[in-house]
Amino acid sequence: MSLLAKDVVDGFVSPLREEVIDGLTQRPKRLSPRLFYDARGSELFDAICELPEYYVTRTECAILRQYAAEIAGLVGKGCVLIEPGSGSSRKVRLLLPALRPAAYVPIDICAEHLFKAADELRADFRWLEVRPACADFNALPASGEFGGGGRRVVFFPGSTIGNLEPDRASRLLRRLAGLAGGGGGLLVGVDCKKSLGMLHAAYNDAQGITAAFNLNMLTRLNRELAADFDVSRFRHHAFYNQKFGRVEMHLVSAGEQQVEIGGTRIAFAPEESIHTENSYKYTVGEFKLLGRSAGLVPLRVWQDPDRLFSLHYFHVPLEATALRDGRWQGQA
């Protein structure tokens, strides 16, 4: 069951509908990228990761394969490994044999995808304790107790951190550090700045899978919030915004039209867009500074030979036991 479907069942559809309507009445219109990940969206994202144009996954996986033993030596065996936004848990498989964590805690918003991946991991790594948690990692409590006892390390691959504006990314790093707790660590994947041609191809693939992924958000809103988007009258548009150092994804209206969501009508002008996602790109130095702004200590960075992607390991200071309202709370 998806997050939106669960909210309908539990009687909490109104806040979600209000969130969507609020986003679509802003200028410019926007929707949260968390709405991408119903079961179909998760399948499409997995397909994106296999595309020849999408360098991110294969490059990060190559880094994980090459440096798994080195990462394990730095992180230490026997930790509780927590992965927010775990999806299919594909990348963690490259770390598990070397890292040998005491437990693995995958967290994902799509329950169907989450529990299927957890069952597959249990079958393939019979020694591993897998504790799946269906949740939106952006709404998790900032508590070092999440995931149980033992030293905790948060694994956050795929450059998901790049989907957030830098100030929000800093706040999320603080929250993830709160999950790890003092003395824990964060292993974060970060996409690097590169040629405009490579970025354009990665987000505008020839097969149209990324376009289908973007448009699926409207199909989901039709199904789960009783909206009436004519999906055929919107098109995918992605481009690199050099001013902000980010790739932007939009859904562009093919003409003047109106959409109804729960009795509210939303007007679209021709070529008006819905901003659905950002993907910020960072130099190694820029991301180290972002980590420091979150109170973290940069320890190590691994990169591929072409410097397309970086994997950062941060230490969470011992005195950082929890996070409340964006500020560290020390030990009592």
Side-chain angles (χ1 to χ4, degrees), residues 259-292:
V259 174
E260 184 171 341
I261 305 175
T264 299
R265 298 203 68 79
I266 309 293
F268 286 83
E271 296 300 303
E272 186 175 10
S273 77
I274 306 169
H275 191 166
T276 55
E277 186 178 59
N278 290 320
S279 184
Y280 281 85
K281 311 304 176 185
Y282 292 94
T283 66
V284 167
E286 286 171 342
F287 198 76
K288 282 184 177 181
L289 286 175
L290 191 69
R292 290 191 179 100

Side-chain angles (χ1 to χ4, degrees), residues 210-232:
T210 308
F213 174 71
N214 201 8
L215 288 161
N216 181 66
M217 183 183 288
L218 302 184
T219 302
R220 182 181 186 182
L221 294 180
N222 285 347
R223 182 180 68 250
E224 300 190 17
L225 289 183
D228 65 352
F229 285 95
D230 182 347
V231 179
S232 69

Side-chain angles (χ1 to χ4, degrees), residues 115-193:
F115 293 114
K116 179 176 182 291
D119 286 342
E120 291 172 352
L121 277 173
R122 291 188 184 104
D124 294 340
F125 299 90
R126 295 188 178 276
W127 52 267
L128 179 65
E129 181 182 353
V130 183
R131 309 174 190 164
C134 186
D136 178 356
F137 64 78
N138 289 297
L140 288 172
S143 168
E145 294 305 312
F146 187 88
R151 181 172 177 274
R152 291 171 296 277
V153 174
V154 175
F155 180 45
F156 201 55
S159 197
T160 304
I161 196 71
N163 295 147
L164 302 177
E165 294 187 13
D167 61 335
R168 290 187 60 208
S170 179
R171 290 198 297 271
L172 179 58
L173 288 173
R174 288 188 178 96
R175 184 166 294 275
L176 297 180
L179 292 181
L186 269 64
L187 186 62
V188 185
V190 182
D191 197 14
C192 297
K193 292 179 176 175

